[in-house]
Amino acid sequence: YSGEFYRHVATEACQATLASVSPVFAVMKLDKEGNTTFFEKKKTELYQELGLQARDLRFQHLMSIATRNNRIIMRMEFLKAVITPEFLLILDYRNLNLEHWLFNELASQLAGEGQLVTYSLPFEFRAIEAILQYRISKLQGRLNTLQPQILETLEALVDPKLLSVDRSKLHILLQNGKSLSELETDLKVFKETILEILDEEELIEELCLSKWTDPQVFEESTSGIDHAEEMELLLENYYRQAEDLANEARELRVLIDDSESIIFINLDSHRNVMMRLNLQLTMGTFSLSLFGLIGVAFGMNLESSLEEDPRIFWLVTGIMFLGSGLIWRRLLSFLGRHLEPSLPPHVPAVLRKSQPAARRVEIKNDLKAETFGLSRSTLTNQ
């Protein structure tokens, strides 16, 4: 008996120790009328009151939507929420830069003073829509901040008149590109999370909490007002909004890639000009040095009958410069013949006449396109 007693005391002490180190949640509770209350509660007490398990309140994912025991557990980046048919709990709301939305918008939205389209539906619809709307608005705000910065930086970089690239602009573009990649990742996670629910009918049914707790809602669902369809439409709406944002972000990514190609083309063009100039100067130096051997021969302090004639100096000098110029011209013509771009293949007259008018207009428009808006494929074809 003494051994069992000591084991029982040790077990109680261990449980007391674990309960004392359990994390404490700062909870914000909002009911159907928008009334707000604040309190702190340990994790063990909270999940016991909600009928959940400890792993349900881990919130280990950046975004997740799950149902447990007629409760909806949502995680939207830093936002942690638990939705029931009667109230909404926001966990760890402090120091998350959510105060403006929580105190000024969320309560009024749940009470029906906002612009939620699900106000006539059960409470969980309003809570889910408010959280999804907040998340989409944050993603939209990030895109609206990045888009003008990226366009302004690309416009400053993609200029054929520039002989060099501003490194500060490249640094800004690199930072914006990194932020754009993070935004694309967040949008992808948002879409995948919603798509997982849309692909499973049972998950959509589980999100309709009031359908299984409120007899009136259940009767409405059986009489023709299918709340599962309403939930599916709600999720599809925000999935479509996320898809639109992802398309805009993808267009910015393509624009950055195309602009990088244009920058490299401009730099290569300027580099080729410098290399051609260097080659021409080298040819001129070679030509002048070749006929400079005549002057070297006359400067060897060897006596001959030519140095007595005053006209020989001008004659030899003229031959040197004339010969150097002729050789330089021949070298330049040789360089021009081998560096000229190849001519396009000959198109028969029959094919030119049979070419559709729409295609000719399309080619004409492509040729008139500005460099800033060209795609990589158009640049390659031209």
Side-chain angles (χ1 to χ4, degrees):
Y1 292 104
S2 61
E4 293 180 358
F5 175 74
Y6 285 121
R7 282 196 300 271
H8 181 69
V9 172
T11 303
E12 289 183 351
C14 181
Q15 292 177 352
T17 304
L18 291 176
S20 62
V21 299
S22 176
V24 178
F25 285 129
V27 184
M28 179 179 181
K29 182 178 180 181
L30 301 99
D31 59 12
K32 298 180 180 180
E33 288 74 25
N35 300 321
T36 306
T37 55
F38 305 91
F39 57 90
E40 293 184 355
K41 186 159 290 191
K42 292 183 178 180
K43 179 179 179 179
T44 52
E45 299 175 356
L46 185 61
Y47 71 71
Q48 288 175 0
E49 288 184 5
L50 295 174
L52 302 175
Q53 298 182 4
R55 63 173 178 269
D56 296 330
L57 300 182
R58 286 178 189 165
F59 299 103
Q60 68 272 22
H61 302 293
L62 290 179
M63 179 175 175
S64 60
I65 303 175
T67 55
R68 297 285 189 278
N69 195 20
N70 209 34
R71 303 285 188 268
I72 300 175
I73 301 105
M74 296 186 66
R75 169 74 181 264
M76 295 288 170
E77 199 175 7
F78 302 108
L79 178 63
K80 310 170 186 177
V82 178
I83 303 173
T84 71
E86 293 81 21
F87 54 84
L88 166 66
L89 298 180
I90 305 295
L91 310 181
D92 288 341
Y93 63 92
R94 298 174 181 172
N95 302 322
L96 295 180
N97 298 323
L98 303 175
E99 287 80 3
H100 177 76
W101 175 68
L102 290 175
F103 295 103
N104 299 332
E105 299 181 14
L106 181 58
S108 60
Q109 287 178 340
L110 296 178
E113 299 176 3
Q115 297 179 351
L116 299 181
V117 298
T118 56
Y119 176 68
S120 59
L121 295 172
F123 175 76
E124 64 268 15
F125 285 80
R126 282 177 275 164
I128 293 175
E129 184 183 5
I131 294 176
L132 293 178
Q133 188 182 86
Y134 168 76
R135 180 59 175 164
I136 283 292
S137 64
K138 295 294 288 185
L139 296 174
Q140 179 72 59
R142 289 167 58 184
L143 181 62
N144 292 340
T145 303
L146 282 174
Q147 191 171 17
Q149 295 178 359
I150 292 176
L151 294 179
E152 182 181 358
T153 306
L154 292 179
E155 189 175 359
L157 288 173
V158 183
D159 189 353
K161 298 180 182 179
L162 296 178
L163 299 179
S164 61
V165 179
D166 190 354
R167 293 187 177 182
S168 62
K169 296 291 185 181
L170 286 178
H171 183 66
I172 295 174
L173 183 62
L174 180 63
Q175 292 180 339
N176 292 334
K178 184 179 179 181
S179 302
L180 183 62
S181 299
E182 295 175 354
L183 176 60
E184 289 177 328
T185 302
D186 293 341
L187 287 170
K188 181 181 178 182
V189 172
F190 184 90
K191 289 164 49 184
E192 289 177 350
T193 303
I194 294 183
L195 191 60
E196 288 177 0
I197 300 176
L198 291 174
D199 290 340
E200 298 291 339
E201 255 186 65
E202 296 180 357
L203 296 179
I204 298 177
E205 291 281 352
E206 291 176 357
L207 291 177
C208 303
L209 305 180
S210 301
K211 184 176 180 179
W212 314 108
T213 57
D214 191 343
Q216 181 180 356
V217 176
F218 183 79
E219 185 177 351
E220 290 178 356
S221 299
T222 56
S223 62
I225 304 175
D226 193 352
H227 288 273
E229 291 183 1
E230 297 289 344
M231 181 63 71
E232 184 176 359
L233 292 175
L234 173 64
L235 296 177
E236 283 182 354
N237 178 36
Y238 285 96
Y239 179 84
R240 186 175 63 254
Q241 293 185 34
E243 182 68 25
D244 294 339
L245 293 179
N247 290 335
E248 294 183 18
R250 195 177 301 112
E251 291 176 0
L252 280 180
R253 175 63 60 189
V254 172
L255 189 59
I256 290 176
D257 295 339
D258 293 343
S259 301
E260 288 178 353
S261 301
I262 296 173
I263 292 172
F264 292 146
I265 290 173
N266 291 335
L267 292 178
D268 289 340
S269 176
H270 294 304
R271 190 181 299 112
N272 293 337
V273 171
M274 299 302 297
M275 292 175 62
R276 189 184 182 99
L277 178 61
N278 186 25
L279 186 58
Q280 291 174 352
L281 293 177
T282 303
M283 290 179 178
T285 305
F286 170 75
S287 304
L288 193 61
S289 301
L290 183 63
F291 277 85
L293 295 176
I294 301 176
V296 174
F298 279 95
M300 294 177 64
N301 297 325
L302 298 178
E303 294 182 358
S304 64
S305 60
L306 297 177
E307 65 269 6
E308 297 178 359
D309 191 345
R311 295 172 298 180
I312 293 297
F313 171 77
W314 300 108
L315 179 62
V316 173
T317 303
I319 292 174
M320 289 172 54
F321 280 100
L322 181 61
S324 300
L326 290 176
I327 292 181
W328 191 33
R329 287 294 302 272
R330 292 300 300 270
L331 291 175
L332 290 179
S333 63
F334 173 81
L335 177 65
R337 287 196 305 269
H338 286 77
L339 292 183
E340 285 180 355
S342 59
L343 295 176
H346 177 68
V347 181
V350 177
L351 293 180
R352 287 199 298 266
K353 291 180 180 179
S354 61
Q355 189 178 23
R359 178 59 180 168
R360 293 198 298 270
V361 172
E362 181 181 353
I363 294 176
K364 185 177 180 181
N365 292 334
D366 290 339
L367 292 176
K368 290 182 178 180
E370 294 182 359
T371 306
F372 183 69
L374 291 176
S375 63
R376 187 182 291 107
S377 61
T378 307
L379 282 174
T380 306
N381 294 332
Q382 291 183 1

